[in-house]
Amino acid sequence: MDKFRVLEIKKSVFENNDREADKLREELKKEKTFLLNLMSSPGSGKTTTLKATIAALKDEMRIGVMEADIDSDVDAHTIAETGAKVIQLHTGGMCHLDAGMTKQGLEGLGTENIDFAILENVGNLVCPAEFDTGAVKNAMILSVPEGHDKPLKYPLMFSICDVLLVNKIDVMPYFDFDLEACKLYVTKLNPNIKIIPISARTGEGIDEWANWIREQVKQWNS
């Protein structure tokens, strides 16, 4: 006879979170608000990409941004300068957001006047991939300096994303980055993923990225 019980806490947490995420998507559908979960490593250019994205879409969509960080409000100040509605989410040391935390953030942001909401998740490639935030789509940024072999090291992140932005392509000549190899690794993990090379600094590829968002928002609201 066993002397103690073993509880599958992790499984239970994920199952409960998945239910909350599904409920949140139902609410967003009714409100006609499209939520994008944007993930990446620190330093990949998330905030710069967000600024370019907002500039491309602000005249046709009401945009709101939730900036998630363990601490600080540097990114929120930067995004506020774009004119988009923004709030800062502090995770209290946690390295990810789950559906419940995302819902709290959306309530603070207020979705009644927002067509396109963006969650800039905590910067890492492990924990955020494990939790469904309730977003309609998942996107991630891989920057050229990180290397084309990142999909081999963090397969779950690349597997759960709908679109991959390969950022900082303007510095590709200075790094040993094989774009075709990267695409091959990613599509083996996720055959349906959309891959868009961009430079958030120069604007290259941003039009294609903005068009992808337009199409997704249109489908969500149809």
Side-chain angles (χ1 to χ4, degrees):
M1 184 175 179
D2 292 337
K3 296 181 179 179
F4 53 85
R5 296 171 63 199
V6 177
L7 303 179
E8 297 292 341
I9 296 296
K10 188 173 183 180
K11 180 179 179 182
S12 176
V13 167
F14 285 146
E15 288 179 349
N16 290 338
N17 184 71
D18 288 347
R19 285 194 291 270
E20 289 299 314
D22 288 339
K23 290 179 183 177
L24 181 54
R25 271 186 288 273
E26 290 176 5
E27 294 172 8
L28 291 169
K29 183 73 172 177
K30 293 176 182 177
E31 296 171 0
K32 293 187 178 298
T33 299
F34 182 95
L35 173 62
L36 178 74
N37 178 27
L38 182 62
M39 299 172 284
S40 78
S41 299
S44 68
K46 277 202 305 295
T47 304
T48 305
T49 300
L50 272 179
K51 288 175 64 179
T53 304
I54 292 167
L57 297 170
K58 65 180 181 180
D59 292 335
E60 55 195 278
M61 296 181 190
R62 297 169 297 177
I63 302 173
V65 179
M66 295 179 288
E67 289 285 352
D69 269 309
I70 292 174
D71 204 350
S72 91
D73 55 7
V74 174
D75 290 341
H77 280 291
T78 301
I79 295 300
E81 294 173 357
T82 68
K85 189 175 183 181
V86 60
I87 62 169
Q88 181 73 54
L89 308 180
H90 285 164
T91 64
M94 297 183 70
C95 59
H96 69 275
L97 271 77
D98 58 21
M101 297 162 72
T102 302
K103 183 175 182 179
Q104 291 179 53
L106 287 168
E107 290 171 350
L109 184 66
T111 57
E112 60 275 1
N113 295 313
I114 291 177
D115 306 306
F116 178 39
I118 307 166
L119 170 62
E120 183 178 343
N121 215 316
V122 180
N124 77 81
L125 297 181
V126 182
C127 303
E130 296 181 343
F131 288 85
D132 188 343
T133 61
V136 182
K137 296 290 182 179
N138 293 317
M140 74 160 292
I141 302 172
L142 171 67
S143 65
V144 165
E146 294 177 75
H148 59 262
D149 59 349
K150 272 292 190 292
L152 303 178
K153 299 177 179 179
Y154 303 95
L156 180 60
M157 173 60 76
F158 292 85
S159 297
I160 60 99
C161 283
D162 301 283
V163 60
L164 168 65
L165 303 179
V166 180
N167 191 26
K168 304 185 182 180
I169 58 172
D170 53 306
V171 300
M172 198 176 296
Y174 307 104
F175 290 88
D176 184 20
F177 187 94
D178 188 331
L179 181 58
E180 295 308 312
C182 179
K183 290 179 179 178
L184 180 63
Y185 297 151
V186 173
T187 53
K188 280 187 175 179
L189 292 167
N190 186 350
N192 298 317
I193 195 170
K194 174 76 171 178
I195 301 174
I196 307 175
I198 69 166
S199 169
R201 187 179 69 86
T202 68
E204 186 175 355
I206 295 299
D207 285 346
E208 183 179 358
W209 164 232
N211 285 335
W212 183 87
I213 293 171
R214 291 184 183 100
E215 183 59 31
Q216 300 305 314
V217 172
K218 181 180 178 181
Q219 290 179 14
W220 181 245
N221 290 328
S222 63

